[in-house]
Amino acid sequence: RATSENEPMRAYAPSMGQIFLRRFQLVTQFRSALENGQISVHYQPKIALPSRQVIGAESLVRWKHPEFGRVDPDEFIPAVEATGLVDVLTDFVMDKGLERVRRWMDRDLRMSIAVNLSVRTLADEEFPDRVKEALDRHRVPPELLTFELTESGVMADPERALPVLRRLHTMGVVLAVDDFGTGYSSLAYLRQLPVDEVKIDKSFVLGMGTDLGDMAVVRSIVELGHSLGLTVVAEGVEDDAARDQLVGMGCDVAQGYLISRPLSEERFEAWLRARTVQ
Ligand code: C2E
Ligand code: CA
Ligand code: CA
Ligand code: CA
């Protein structure tokens, strides 16, 4: 955090040097952290509306750092993204996710897994081959794998991202636009992208109960998404009121603390059993 000249220095504010050092450490320690199990993947369920049936989960990475404690993905992913290592992370998360899908299939559960893609991965023309290889290896059909991409990620380099997206889409993998509504060229570009799903940014869903503007944004994204033939997902669903409003608007899928927080592999499986075997 930068300190302005007329603001007194606070003892706890890390200096620029400390911030830089921490970021440097996160980048240089990332690969070994992956190898020695400090990085894990948590899963947050998604349910269909209005049935509330569990249809899948989003993969969210966690880093338990020996010195810093829990480090949020919002901090280490941008740091790692600047290096080639983010591809290693994507492959790790995809592999774990497909392994889960395979186990569910073996129990006759048809649920999909969503993996977040970084800007870097979208520019990698070999990525679709790795996806194909991973799907084959785990014997998972492509429609049970979803990639979530942000608008800024695609727009960073559309010339390179589009061919990659088209290939993934042709393979039958599901593509979702994440954090929808936060960018500025949303409407115009949504039609040009080979996507199947829009995910309404949680800031609008969280604000829906108290802010009529947020409510209007959510409603119009649901309508826009449906008019383009897309599945509409709301994230950040924290209470019954929000869920009921989304059902009323015709939103297709909900994800958020109301349903469950992101859970470790073991806890997700326990949650699933408790929910389905009753
Ligand atoms: P995201 O893709 O927008 O993920 C949703 C974030 O919202 C997650 O934060 C999740 O824990 C949080 N969330 C879920 N439900 C609720 C709710 O009801 N209320 C509130 N207030 N928050 C909710 P998280 O896990 O800290 O992840 C932050 C971001 O890090 C993700 O945002 C995603 O952009 C990125 N990320 C996480 N895992 C990966 C990954 O494997 N690869 C890449 N490239 N990015 C990842
Ligand atoms: Ca996401
Ligand atoms: Ca999001
Ligand atoms: Ca986000």
Side-chain angles (χ1 to χ4, degrees), residues 2 4 9 14 17 25 28 46 59 67 75 77 132 138-139 145 162 178 182 205 212 217 241 249 254 269:
S4 83
M9 269 282 253
Q25 283 178 290
T28 51
K46 295 183 180 183
S59 314
E67 183 186 342
E75 179 182 2
I77 291 193
K132 175 93 179 61
H138 291 283
R139 293 173 295 119
L145 176 63
L162 272 175
D178 205 352
T182 54
V205 179
L212 286 176
V217 170
M249 293 174 190
E269 292 303 331

Side-chain angles (χ1 to χ4, degrees), residues 89-163:
L89 173 69
T90 306
D91 291 355
F92 172 81
V93 175
M94 173 167 65
D95 198 65
K96 291 258 178 206
L98 292 177
E99 192 181 302
R100 293 247 67 72
V101 176
R102 182 68 242 173
R103 297 218 182 146
W104 294 331
M105 286 173 72
D106 292 342
R107 279 151 49 199
D108 285 327
L109 288 173
R110 195 182 158 79
M111 298 193 333
S112 74
I113 201 83
V115 173
N116 290 286
L117 283 194
S118 85
V119 199
R120 276 291 279 235
T121 311
L122 285 174
D124 178 359
E125 56 204 15
E126 273 149 33
F127 180 62
D129 297 324
R130 298 209 301 279
V131 175
K132 175 93 179 61
E133 185 276 323
L135 287 167
D136 290 346
R137 183 158 39 85
H138 291 283
R139 293 173 295 119
V140 168
E143 65 271 17
L144 294 184
L145 176 63
T146 300
F147 286 121
E148 298 188 1
L149 37 122
T150 57
E151 176 176 7
S152 52
V154 178
M155 294 327 269
D157 195 352
E159 308 272 281
R160 292 185 74 176
L162 272 175

Side-chain angles (χ1 to χ4, degrees), residues 74 116 150 178-179 201-202 235:
D74 280 330
N116 290 286
T150 57
D178 205 352
D179 301 347
D201 190 68
K202 61 176 177 290
E235 63 176 16

Side-chain angles (χ1 to χ4, degrees), residues 129-260:
D129 297 324
R130 298 209 301 279
V131 175
K132 175 93 179 61
E133 185 276 323
L135 287 167
D136 290 346
R137 183 158 39 85
H138 291 283
R139 293 173 295 119
V140 168
E143 65 271 17
L144 294 184
L145 176 63
T146 300
F147 286 121
E148 298 188 1
L149 37 122
T150 57
E151 176 176 7
S152 52
V154 178
M155 294 327 269
D157 195 352
E159 308 272 281
R160 292 185 74 176
L162 272 175
V164 172
L165 292 179
R166 287 203 191 98
R167 275 196 60 206
L168 292 170
H169 201 243
T170 307
M171 279 165 55
V173 168
V174 179
L175 299 181
V177 181
D178 205 352
D179 301 347
F180 192 76
T182 54
Y184 42 87
S185 57
S186 307
L187 302 183
Y189 97 114
L190 192 58
R191 286 192 52 208
Q192 338 250 306
L193 286 182
V195 294
D196 312 279
E197 198 173 292
V198 280
K199 249 184 131 167
I200 309 171
D201 190 68
K202 61 176 177 290
S203 60
F204 304 111
V205 179
L206 290 170
M208 231 177 16
T210 49
D211 187 317
L212 286 176
D214 286 338
M215 171 86 91
V217 170
V218 173
R219 190 186 303 279
S220 56
I221 296 175
V222 174
E223 282 167 13
L224 168 80
H226 285 167
S227 70
L228 295 172
L230 307 174
T231 301
V232 182
V233 181
E235 63 176 16
V237 181
E238 292 191 354
D239 51 42
D240 290 323
R243 185 196 50 215
D244 295 347
Q245 279 164 336
L246 290 162
V247 168
M249 293 174 190
C251 182
D252 306 291
V253 177
Q255 177 184 346
Y257 296 166
L258 172 70
I259 299 116
S260 169

